[in-house]
Amino acid sequence: MNAEHRFVPDLPDLIGTCEYGEHLGGHLGRARIAWDEQGVEVPGDVFRPDTLEDLLDRMAPDVVEQRLCG
């Protein structure tokens, strides 16, 4: 991916902590798509980052904002 990566302090949580125990295999992800005159925004929240990274790579964005968690 040739996108510029920006680390940001906050992004929306699309997966609630109460859902973690229901998906112990780590196979849960959510994404939203929104667009306006400024462009397209695809916030995503996944247990396995490579899943979302693959999707974003196919979309060829200019900028990817990421939040470090853990």
Side-chain angles (χ1 to χ4, degrees), residues 4-65:
E4 174 188 347
H5 285 256
R6 295 180 188 159
F7 292 100
V8 296
D10 195 39
L11 289 171
D13 285 325
L14 302 180
I15 299 173
T17 55
C18 62
E19 298 176 272
Y20 292 5
E22 299 169 15
H23 300 278
L24 297 176
H27 299 290
L28 179 63
R30 293 202 175 101
R32 253 188 264 167
I33 301 173
W35 66 93
D36 61 19
E37 61 278 347
Q38 302 215 355
V40 177
E41 179 180 77
V42 183
D45 196 353
V46 294
F47 287 159
R48 296 177 185 238
D50 57 329
T51 305
L52 185 56
E53 289 169 2
D54 289 345
L55 173 66
L56 292 174
D57 192 32
R58 293 175 193 207
M59 296 176 71
D62 294 327
V63 176
V64 173
E65 292 183 338

